[in-house]
Amino acid sequence: MTITPMKKTREKTRTSPKLTCTWVAVRGEDGRTRMEMRWIDENRRTARHAA
């Protein structure tokens, strides 16, 4: 019986961005704000509440 180790994949070799579904506030044409679920890039996610 032969055992071959599995190759480790590096996180840096990922070509597609890691997406996360989250709630986003969207202002409509009528001026009212509503919440929508949107896909965002997790690497670009920033804390808006941070001063």
Side-chain angles (χ1 to χ4, degrees):
M1 183 168 139
T2 305
I3 299 173
T4 57
M6 294 177 62
K7 294 181 181 178
K8 293 183 180 179
T9 58
R10 293 185 181 175
E11 196 68 27
K12 294 179 182 178
T13 60
R14 181 183 299 198
T15 56
S16 62
K18 185 173 183 181
L19 297 176
T20 305
C21 195
T22 186
W23 288 102
V24 178
V26 178
R27 187 174 301 273
E29 293 178 7
D30 58 356
R32 296 173 65 177
T33 303
R34 65 182 187 279
M35 298 299 285
E36 290 183 355
M37 289 295 285
R38 295 234 176 132
W39 290 100
I40 61 166
D41 184 0
E42 193 173 83
N43 296 332
R44 293 183 51 207
R45 200 163 102 186
T46 58
R48 293 185 182 186
H49 61 274

